[in-house]
DNA sequence: AATTACAGAGAACAGTTGTTAACTGGATGA
DNA sequence: TCATCCAGTTAACAACTGTTCTCTGTAATT
């Protein structure tokens, strides 16, 4: 089942990706609900009507961006949470992984943080669904840990979602500190690590 | 120093408030960066140009909304955190207070959640400043607690900000559950309470 | 009673927006 | 080779945007 994707489809996917990239760029200084279809096509250098060959609407493009930003992140999360080494080290690695991801894909992170509570319903729902998946996956990994014996399913999911939210908060802080001096970035790093540690301590004493 | 506010100024403040209210209403299904000046004046029933008598721009109106939504909340937070009774009861009261506030001012809460990471810089900064104030105030109250002896200033502020973020997350969850059946709302309530309790447990064992 | 200040109205401006329809030209499959 | 498909173009549409300038009526001041 090889699909070598003829010249036709290849070019189509190329402009589709160009539209997504241009939109993501424009969204650094505005929200999705104010992003214009013509604005996007103009940035790509293509006729406004060409937009409809790829997306029904801006909201549709938005949900595609959600998939692009979060879809490929699931394996990353799983391995990070599951890898079992020293507790303190694990937290440090998680924080560094978040920092690295924000460095590599700042626009994607900004988009998710911005549109999670943004003005476009379908996009909010797409993000909510993805984050719920993250929650389930983190829960599954936590369940394997020996610290989790005696925990109810509900409590495991509660903790998993707490971790997921905390990751997003941390990512957002790193984003704000992107152009800040190194000392500021270090400070954010330390605060994030301590918050994560405090939650983990709460986890260890949950059943007392 | 009495200022009985002549007829003139009284009427002006009235339309100003009408503009704020109309904007807040329109923002339930879009973001600030897509809110139009004419849209707001039309909703109030006033000429577009009248807008400039009250605000320089939509961003300016946005920062006024931030003040309206968060400015009067400081005393509420202080007393809630400071009141010293049974630990479990304190958390329950805090959650109920958040739920009540979301019920009473859903549009304000939505506005803050949406524009905290939204596309309008001055508004983001206004919200960030207010939340930083909340963090400081919570820290001040936490410092008075006997559980806080031996804590560094940095760690106290770290914890305070963790609480503040958690309050916002909780408020946002209540908002999503506003039109949901009572059982769903109860579920949200219980999850929020447990997350808050887990953080508090982490706090108690922080110095181990 | 006469003058000033000023909230709001009205009209006009150059640009912008989403969406429609009909069209073009090169890749695709028979 | 020829007919078909379809990504992208062109042109046009009514509706909308923020902002300027000028004007009006009435409250506030003298």
């Amino acid at each position: 089942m090889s699909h070598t994707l003829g010249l036709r489809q290849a070019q189509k996917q190329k402009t589709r990706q160009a539209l997504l990239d241009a939109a993501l760029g424009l969204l650094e200084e505005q929200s999705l609900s104010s992003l214009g279809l013509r604005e996007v096509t103009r940035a790509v250098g293509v006729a406004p009507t060409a937009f409809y060959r790829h997306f029904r609407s801006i909201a549709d493009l938005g949900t595609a961006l959600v998939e692009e930003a979060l879809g490929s992140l699931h394996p990353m999360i799983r391995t990070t949470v599951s890898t079992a080494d020293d507790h303190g080290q694990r937290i440090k690695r998680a924080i560094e992984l978040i920092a690295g991801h924000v460095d590599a894909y700042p626009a994607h992170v900004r988009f998710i943080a911005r549109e999670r509570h943004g003005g476009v319903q379908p996009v909010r729902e797409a993000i909510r669904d993805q984050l719920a998946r993250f929650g389930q996956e983190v829960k599954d990994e936590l369940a394997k840990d020996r610290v989790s014996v005696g925990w109810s399913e509900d409590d495991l999911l509660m903790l998993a979602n707490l971790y997921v939210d905390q990751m997003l908060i941390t990512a957002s802080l790193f984003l704000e500190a992107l152009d800040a001096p190194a000392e500021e970035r270090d400070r954010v790093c330390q605060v994030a690590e301590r918050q994560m540690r405090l939650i983990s301590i709460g986890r260890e004493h949950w059943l007392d």
Side-chain angles (χ1 to χ4, degrees), chain A:
Chain A
M1 192 183 187
S2 77
H3 39 54
T4 328
L5 214 51
L7 290 187
R8 196 94 187 229
Q9 303 241 358
Q11 176 56 29
K12 180 170 184 182
Q13 289 219 353
K14 213 169 177 178
T15 50
R16 188 190 131 103
Q17 190 57 47
L19 288 168
L20 288 169
D21 293 347
L24 204 55
L26 292 165
L27 284 173
E28 305 217 354
E29 19 196 63
Q30 64 182 307
S31 324
L32 190 67
S33 83
S34 69
L35 184 64
L37 161 167
R38 295 184 100 106
E39 204 177 345
V40 178
T41 56
R42 191 186 313 129
V44 174
V46 88
T49 47
F51 183 90
Y52 294 106
R53 299 285 178 196
H54 304 275
F55 306 103
R56 288 175 189 275
S57 62
I58 286 288
D60 188 24
L61 176 144
T63 62
L65 277 178
V66 173
E67 173 61 30
E68 182 175 289
L70 297 181
S72 66
L73 224 61
H74 294 277
M76 196 163 155
I77 295 279
R78 288 198 99 98
T79 60
T80 303
V81 178
S82 68
T83 344
D85 46 359
D86 177 67
H87 261 204
Q89 287 302 319
R90 173 150 68 168
I91 290 178
K92 266 211 176 84
R93 274 200 316 108
I95 302 282
E96 280 165 11
L97 186 129
I98 294 173
H101 188 76
V102 174
D103 267 335
Y105 307 98
H108 284 98
V109 174
R110 171 174 292 119
F111 171 72
I112 295 299
R114 183 159 293 169
E115 300 304 330
R116 181 186 187 184
H117 304 283
V120 183
Q121 204 197 31
V123 173
R124 280 200 310 266
E125 286 173 358
I127 295 176
R128 185 167 44 71
D129 291 352
Q130 289 280 345
L131 294 184
R133 270 185 64 193
F134 283 126
Q136 280 293 340
E137 289 163 359
V138 169
K139 183 199 126 187
D140 290 345
E141 295 303 327
L142 289 176
K144 298 176 184 169
D145 201 327
R146 63 192 146 65
V147 187
S148 303
V149 295
W151 281 60
S152 75
E153 292 290 301
D154 279 0
D155 283 354
L156 271 178
L157 190 55
M158 174 277 285
L159 175 62
N161 284 325
L162 188 55
Y163 274 129
V164 170
D165 280 333
Q166 193 58 32
M167 286 184 197
L168 234 99
I169 290 174
T170 301
S172 178
L173 284 177
F174 277 126
L175 198 61
E176 285 179 15
L178 256 189
D179 313 312
E183 51 173 17
E184 168 73 2
R185 304 199 53 182
D186 285 354
R187 208 186 52 78
V188 168
C189 220
Q190 284 186 7
V191 169
E193 190 190 322
R194 284 180 193 158
Q195 290 185 335
M196 214 62 114
R197 211 165 66 212
L198 190 141
I199 292 175
S200 295
I201 292 176
R203 177 194 177 200
E204 286 161 24
H205 293 83
W206 179 248
L207 294 177
D208 293 359

